[in-house]
């Protein structure tokens, strides 16, 4: 095989796991290639994976646009600002989202060039002997060879038989980023992160949104108190969240979808303009390995890896949504850096205990560490401090006083075990808690840290003080 087809490392998948791994490999002096099959709306290669193309970035662009629209319509009266005649141009909003995606995905191509990462556009398949077969969109096939391979092919939406995607009226999260007008009635199967974020987008733009959730617990991974407050706020905003439901059939006909579902009160039928199916994602392992390169999967279909992200085949690694753990871009990227360093011969570690979670609704929800219910069921003795944004001067000035910061620490050591935030800019505020927990800080450490006034971050300071009943701007228990 010629030297142009042999690499130190081949990465299959160019999402936040794969492209970061490729860049880090190149920084370490390794000759890296990245094989990615994503094709953008312009029919050209588009690096960045789910996250940049059809995930984190486009959804946040639409959340931002719809938030501005909502604010102009309903959010500025308290500031004495009267606005009338506000109009939304959906195609312009979608174009803005596409332009943002184009700039960022183009940026990854630029970074690959700057770092001398070789980029292949096509579908990669692992063959025996650490070779990757690449099949292009035109069905041209070539083979490249690597000393090490990193599989980072990510995930795709789970389909359900009762609501088959037709990409017209019944869509997955990708279709829901591209409606050409606001659906009057929008149904969403699954009240998880995607359902709530995309439901918020279209609800702010005027859709009547109903979410059909199978489980009886709302946001089970979140702290119970935060989840309860979130549900209350979403209800106030008009999101109709129906728990413990089972969709039996969704039928698309003309421009409508008819959905049959059951709950404890019996069978129901609703007619909708659009239906989004967002019931979770599954790893992209289809046709990823030849029979001569049998990669082991776990019982849920994720690629099985050891503590250095190595699969059952020596020199073949896997990261990101393809393996166990939260399906989050920042988790995939951390693994991308770490696995590149493992291949280079270092011994990196990832502190999985402090991966932040964020839901970019309004109010935003963000947390790191463990929940009260989790710690209590594990028999931990804990102290809790809570501070409401209503008592924050900055939140009052913003006119956005919903929610709170809840901090949990160990009775024995005072080490912070979990921080749970619902409220303005929770996504940014949680970073302080992540840093504190990364350094095993106590609430005392946080209480001794000076926070600028007036800032939303003072709510974290006050929650840390509240853990020992010494909050200054609320009465203590
Ligand atoms: P991916 O980003 O899925 O990238 C994998 C790439 O590999 C893709 O380009 C895919 O086309 C390609 N590929 C697949 N098979 C092959 C093959 N055989 N050969 C070549 N290429 C292949 N996470 C957050 O942290 N924050 C958010 O705000 C957030 N918002 C989201 C919103 C939505 C609507 C969705 C759907 C997801 C969101 N996520 C978010 C999750 C996040 O996008 C994923 O966790 C992240 O993209 C996973 O990164 P990855 O590199 O493992 O895989
Ligand atoms: P999810 O797991 O967050 O939510 C899926 C929901 O669908 C769950 O509440 C589940 O109980 C429900 N469900 C499952 N089967 C059902 C059925 N048949 N009928 C009704 N309800 C059903 O998954 P998601 O919202 O699809 O998101 C996928 C992944 O993408 C998540 O793991 C998430 O981490 C990631 N993501 C992250 C962000 C973020 O970080 N802000 C945003 C979007 C997506």
């Amino acid at each position: 095989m010629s030297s142009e087809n042999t690499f130190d490392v081949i990465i299959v998948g160019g999402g936040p796991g794969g492209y970061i791994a490729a860049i880090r490999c190149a920084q370490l002096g390794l000759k890296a290639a990245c094989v990615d099959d994503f094709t953008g709306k312009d029919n050209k290669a588009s690096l960045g994976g789910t996250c940049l193309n059809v995930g984190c970035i486009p959804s946040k662009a639409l959340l931002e646009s719809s938030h501005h629209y909502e604010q102009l319509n309903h959010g500025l009266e308290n500031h004495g600002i009267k606005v009338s005649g506000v109009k939304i141009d959906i195609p312009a909003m979608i174009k803005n989202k596409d332009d943002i995606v184009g700039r960022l995905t183009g940026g990854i191509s630029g970074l690959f060039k700057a770092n001398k990462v070789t980029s292949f556009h096509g579908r990669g398949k692992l063959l025996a002997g650490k070779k990757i077969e690449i099949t292009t969109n035109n069905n041209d096939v070539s083979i490249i060879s690597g000393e090490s391979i990193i599989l980072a092919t990510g995930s795709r939406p789970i389909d359900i038989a009762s609501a088959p995607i037709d990409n017209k009226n019944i869509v997955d999260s990708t279709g829901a980023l591209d409606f050409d007008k606001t659906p009057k009635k929008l149904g969403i199967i699954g009240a998880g992160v995607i359902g709530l974020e995309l439901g918020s987008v279209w609800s702010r733009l005027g859709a009547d949104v109903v979410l059909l959730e199978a489980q009886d617990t709302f946001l089970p991974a979140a702290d119970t108190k935060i989840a309860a407050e979130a549900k209350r706020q979403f209800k106030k905003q008009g999101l109709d969240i129906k728990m413990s439901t089972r969709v039996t059939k969704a039928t698309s006909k003309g421009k409508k979808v008819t959905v049959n579902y059951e709950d404890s009160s019996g069978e129901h039928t609703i007619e909708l303009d659009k239906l989004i199916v967002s019931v979770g994602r599954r790893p992209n392992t289809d046709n990823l390995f030849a029979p001569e390169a049998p990669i082991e999967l776990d019982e849920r279909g994720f690629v099985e890896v050891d503590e250095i992200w190595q699969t059952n085949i020596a020199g073949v690694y896997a990261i990101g949504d393809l393996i166990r753990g939260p399906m989050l871009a920042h988790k995939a990227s951390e693994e991308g850096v770490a696995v590149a360093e493992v291949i280079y011969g270092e011994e990196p570690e990832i502190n999985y205990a402090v991966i932040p979670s964020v839901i970019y609704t309004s109010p935003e929800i963000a947390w790191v560490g463990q929940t009260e219910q989790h710690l209590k069921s594990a028999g931990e003795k804990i102290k809790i401090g809570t501070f409401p944004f209503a008592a924050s001067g900055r939140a009052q000035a913003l006119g956005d006083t919903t929610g709170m910061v809840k901090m949990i620490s160990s009775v024995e050591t005072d080490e912070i075990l979990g921080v749970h935030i619902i409220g303005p800019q929770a996504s940014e505020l949680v970073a302080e808690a992540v840093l504190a927990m990364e350094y095993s800080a106590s609430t005392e450490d946080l209480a001794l840290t000076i926070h600028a006034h007036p800032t939303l971050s003072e709510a974290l300071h006050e929650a840390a003080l509240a853990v020992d009943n010494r909050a200054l701007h609320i009465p203590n228990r």
Side-chain angles (χ1 to χ4, degrees):
M1 194 169 274
S2 71
S3 72
E4 75 212 42
N5 287 332
T6 59
F7 296 89
D8 295 325
V9 188
I10 301 171
I11 299 105
V12 186
Y19 82 72
I20 289 289
I23 291 172
R24 186 69 189 126
C25 283
Q27 284 176 347
L28 293 166
L30 299 167
K31 186 183 171 197
C34 181
V35 182
D36 185 79
D37 69 353
F38 199 94
T39 303
K41 280 187 176 176
D42 57 0
N43 268 332
K44 292 192 181 135
S46 186
L47 288 165
T50 304
C51 171
L52 267 63
N53 287 290
V54 290
C56 324
I57 298 299
S59 60
K60 265 81 257 178
L62 296 186
L63 277 157
E64 208 60 57
S65 299
S66 58
H67 182 64
H68 286 312
Y69 179 73
E70 233 269 326
Q71 283 291 296
L72 282 173
N73 275 319
H74 306 293
L76 301 175
E77 295 93 342
N78 290 350
H79 296 274
I81 302 171
K82 292 195 171 57
V83 187
S84 58
V86 180
K87 288 200 182 106
I88 181 79
D89 178 344
I90 302 284
M93 181 185 80
I94 299 290
K95 182 179 177 304
N96 176 55
K97 180 259 301 176
D98 291 342
D99 289 348
I100 292 167
V101 168
R103 285 195 289 277
L104 292 175
T105 55
I108 307 298
S109 303
L111 286 171
F112 272 12
K113 282 193 191 100
N115 283 286
K116 300 194 171 49
V117 173
T118 306
S119 189
F120 293 94
H121 185 218
R123 240 190 122 61
K125 182 180 195 171
L126 180 70
L127 308 178
K130 288 183 274 183
K131 291 188 170 53
I132 297 291
E133 178 189 270
I134 305 171
T135 308
T136 67
N137 286 353
N138 304 327
N139 282 326
D140 295 331
V141 177
S142 59
I143 292 177
I144 58 176
S145 167
E147 283 290 312
S148 303
I149 307 286
I150 303 171
L151 301 173
T153 52
S155 64
R156 65 173 64 193
I158 291 176
D159 307 313
I160 48 174
S162 54
I165 305 294
D166 64 5
N167 282 323
K168 229 175 82 204
N169 299 329
I170 308 180
V171 298
D172 59 18
S173 57
T174 300
L177 297 169
D178 273 331
F179 292 153
D180 54 6
K181 59 177 196 250
T182 303
K184 278 202 180 66
K185 284 188 187 303
L186 172 65
I188 302 177
I189 308 183
V193 193
I194 292 181
L196 291 170
E197 288 188 353
L198 295 181
S200 295
V201 166
W202 296 107
S203 162
R204 290 168 189 173
L205 298 174
D208 277 342
V209 178
V210 55
L211 293 111
L212 302 168
E213 166 61 46
Q215 294 197 62
D216 58 359
T217 312
F218 182 63
L219 292 179
D223 188 273
T224 315
K225 188 170 173 148
I226 303 291
E229 176 64 11
K231 198 168 176 205
R232 210 169 65 84
Q233 293 299 332
F234 296 146
K235 231 175 153 177
K236 240 168 84 178
Q237 291 165 16
L239 294 183
D240 182 5
I241 304 172
K242 296 188 189 300
M243 304 301 293
S244 307
T245 59
R246 195 173 79 86
V247 172
T248 48
K249 198 171 173 200
T251 323
S252 181
K253 197 169 170 206
K255 292 190 167 174
K256 298 278 177 199
V257 193
T258 306
V259 176
N260 299 92
Y261 71 92
E262 296 170 354
D263 61 16
S264 58
S265 68
E267 289 179 17
H268 309 271
T269 303
I270 43 175
E271 193 161 270
L272 305 163
D273 299 297
K274 298 276 180 194
L275 176 68
I276 304 172
V277 181
S278 53
V279 294
R281 297 177 62 83
R282 67 176 179 88
N284 275 328
T285 51
D286 296 356
N287 213 16
L288 182 57
F289 340 107
E292 317 80 77
I295 292 282
E296 276 173 18
L297 306 182
D298 68 18
E299 64 288 353
R300 292 166 61 218
F302 291 89
V303 170
E304 186 92 60
V305 291
D306 64 13
E307 63 290 349
I308 55 160
W309 305 278
Q310 188 161 229
T311 67
N312 57 305
I313 301 181
V316 179
Y317 301 82
I319 57 170
D321 281 9
L322 195 58
I323 65 167
R324 79 278 178 277
M327 288 181 157
L328 295 172
H330 41 287
K331 177 258 191 188
S333 303
E334 278 305 301
E335 290 174 341
V337 169
V339 81
E341 292 174 354
V342 164
I343 290 167
Y344 185 65
E346 292 176 357
E347 290 180 16
E349 274 179 26
I350 293 180
N351 187 356
Y352 283 101
V354 292
I355 296 178
S357 296
V358 179
I359 307 176
Y360 294 82
T361 44
S362 180
E364 290 187 342
I365 303 164
W367 71 89
V368 57
Q370 301 185 67
T371 59
E372 178 181 347
Q373 67 267 23
H374 198 192
L375 287 161
K376 281 192 171 153
S377 68
E380 290 271 352
K381 290 208 164 39
I382 54 173
K383 304 184 278 183
I384 296 173
T386 305
F387 188 80
F389 282 108
S392 150
R394 188 63 190 276
Q396 288 286 347
L398 278 174
D400 191 353
T401 54
T402 315
M404 72 202 86
V405 176
K406 172 172 171 178
M407 196 170 293
I408 309 175
S409 76
S410 157
V411 166
E412 206 184 323
T413 64
D414 191 35
E415 182 174 342
I416 301 171
L417 302 175
V419 178
H420 305 272
I421 310 172
I422 178 165
Q425 297 183 31
S427 58
E428 301 293 338
L429 293 175
V430 77
E432 177 179 352
V434 177
L435 187 67
M437 288 179 66
E438 180 64 34
Y439 285 90
S440 308
S442 60
T443 65
E444 177 70 12
D445 292 325
L446 222 147
L448 287 168
T449 305
I450 300 172
H451 290 70
H453 177 74
T455 58
L456 294 170
S457 70
E458 287 172 300
L460 277 134
H461 187 236
E462 287 275 359
L465 290 167
V467 165
D468 285 319
N469 291 321
R470 53 195 182 108
L472 297 163
H473 290 88
I474 45 166
N476 290 290
R477 273 168 279 144

